[in-house]
Amino acid sequence: MALRIIINKRLNMKKAILLLLFSISMNTFAQDTIIPLWPEGQIPNRVPSGEREIHEKEGILRISKVQEPTIEVYLPAKQNATGQAMLIFPGGGYHILAYDWEGTDIAKFLNGKGIAGIVVKYRLPTSESLKEKHNVPLIDAQRAMRLVRSNADKFNISPNKIGIMGFSAGGHLASTLGTHYNEKVYEAVDGADALSARPDFMNLVYPVVTFTQTTKHSGSQKALLKGNESEEMLKHFSNELHVTADTPPTLLVHAADDKSVPVENSLMFFQALKDHGVSATMHIYPKGGHGFSLARGDRHLRTWTERLFEWMESLEQAD
């Protein structure tokens, strides 16, 4: 009887230690994967308000009124890692973030090809907690690129193989970063801000690009520039007008029957890239509409992800 009691005590102790180690490892993992963009108390353009961040899950996780911008990091096994990373900007018309549909699901999918997927939870200009709201998404995007670059060793990625990927309004933010990465929109807060915010490559998926043409997406424009829609500002955020020879190589993906963000957005950006001698690839699908994400239910459209991986491999070969 005494022997059985001792054994049980030892088993219980062993279980307790294992549970403690598991708990510690899970907490460490969580801290490693979700990282604040800014040091505490140093978020630029933030103003006090009673507003709270909203998470709504109805099929798709929709996040609005973002208060604490973060990066959520998904890394492949070291043995599979290519050294490439992709910062992902979910869409949502600058009103919400389709956070899993065009964010975390994409990151996990990239991991299967050895690519680090990093989802950016950026602040939205419809929030009451901001000043100079039109600059805030770009502020967070620049910071995200610099922060990831500063953590390249920790994430097992190459600092010169960090690209960006944006969907819909997230594609507008990505193309804004790709064409306005040198624009000073905030004061440095730490050493990471000494690094370049230039992406090494861009993948724009059914992106909003222009605010000046009839093919613009009015919802994104109004959300970003509400009360500040001068001709100067409309041109400033029409990213086809800001392509230069230094704009990163770009892959564009769009469906011709997109009724929300007309395919002309991609066509104009492709033409601007071509005119400036920037490497540009474009895949236009006849059907697919808007917001198709990975398009897993469409046998033809879902091949766009294979074209993405082929394109990323071609970038490696070009190096």
Side-chain angles (χ1 to χ4, degrees):
M1 177 68 74
L3 180 60
R4 186 161 52 237
I5 292 171
I6 292 171
I7 291 171
N8 285 341
K9 283 183 178 178
R10 285 178 177 173
L11 286 172
N12 288 336
M13 181 64 71
K14 190 174 285 187
K15 285 180 181 177
I17 291 170
L18 287 172
L19 284 170
L20 178 62
L21 290 173
F22 178 76
S23 175
I24 292 170
S25 69
M26 286 301 290
N27 286 336
T28 302
F29 181 74
Q31 290 168 358
D32 286 343
T33 54
I34 299 180
I35 302 172
L37 272 187
W38 304 96
E40 188 173 353
Q42 298 187 61
I43 303 178
N45 290 44
R46 184 171 184 174
V47 295
S49 80
E51 189 176 66
R52 295 190 176 186
E53 189 167 302
I54 299 171
H55 291 228
E56 296 176 308
K57 179 73 171 176
E58 294 179 8
I60 294 173
L61 174 59
R62 293 172 170 85
I63 300 179
S64 58
K65 312 297 182 185
V66 173
Q67 301 298 303
E68 301 287 343
T70 61
I71 53 174
E72 185 163 353
V73 182
Y74 290 81
L75 301 177
K78 284 189 176 182
Q79 293 86 340
N80 290 326
T82 65
Q84 293 176 314
M86 192 76 90
L87 274 68
I88 305 162
F89 298 94
Y94 283 125
H95 287 272
I96 62 103
L97 303 178
Y99 194 74
D100 49 3
W101 182 246
E102 295 172 345
T104 54
D105 282 2
I106 307 297
K108 295 169 189 175
F109 191 76
L110 291 172
N111 281 179
K113 294 290 186 177
I115 301 161
I118 301 167
V119 186
V120 185
K121 189 181 74 172
Y122 57 93
R123 288 173 292 164
L124 298 159
T126 48
S127 170
E128 297 174 2
S129 304
L130 310 175
K131 62 180 180 179
E132 296 181 0
K133 298 180 179 187
H134 60 279
N135 275 333
V136 170
L138 178 59
I139 288 171
D140 286 351
Q142 285 189 1
R143 173 66 179 180
M145 176 57 68
R146 290 173 172 136
L147 187 61
V148 169
R149 197 159 263 145
S150 72
N151 281 284
D153 286 346
K154 179 180 178 181
F155 297 160
N156 191 37
I157 59 175
S158 172
N160 62 354
K161 294 181 181 179
I162 304 172
I164 57 176
M165 183 180 203
F167 297 80
S168 194
H172 183 265
L173 178 54
S175 64
T176 303
L177 178 59
T179 53
H180 296 260
Y181 55 84
N182 271 334
E183 187 176 327
K184 186 174 181 180
V185 287
Y186 69 93
E187 297 296 330
V189 297
D190 57 27
D193 288 325
L195 301 176
S196 172
R198 181 185 182 273
D200 294 301
F201 46 89
M202 293 196 290
N203 175 208
L204 308 178
V205 188
Y206 40 86
V208 176
V209 171
T210 189
F211 284 167
T212 59
Q213 303 299 314
T214 57
T215 51
K216 66 186 179 182
H217 183 249
S218 297
S220 296
Q221 175 205 302
K222 290 175 181 176
L224 187 64
L225 300 180
K226 185 176 181 181
N228 199 13
E229 295 173 278
S230 65
E231 184 178 355
E232 180 184 358
M233 291 300 290
L234 291 170
K235 288 182 176 178
H236 184 74
F237 285 101
S238 291
N239 294 322
E240 78 279 9
L241 302 178
H242 301 283
V243 172
T244 70
D246 293 324
T247 300
T250 301
L251 169 67
L252 294 139
V253 178
H254 222 122
D257 67 346
D258 191 331
K259 297 290 192 293
S260 297
V261 179
V263 69
E264 282 78 7
N265 283 264
S266 285
L267 295 174
M268 281 187 288
F269 200 74
F270 178 85
Q271 186 64 53
L273 293 164
K274 184 173 178 291
D275 290 345
H276 288 84
V278 177
S279 176
T281 303
M282 181 167 58
H283 293 286
I284 305 296
Y285 291 81
K287 294 182 180 180
H290 189 72
F292 49 75
S293 182
L294 295 168
R296 302 317 297 163
D298 186 315
R299 296 172 110 186
H300 179 53
L301 186 58
R302 70 187 180 194
T303 62
W304 82 262
T305 55
E306 292 305 316
R307 305 294 78 77
L308 165 64
F309 299 136
E310 290 169 358
W311 176 73
M312 293 183 73
E313 286 177 348
S314 75
L315 295 175
E316 293 275 83
Q317 293 165 5
D319 292 342

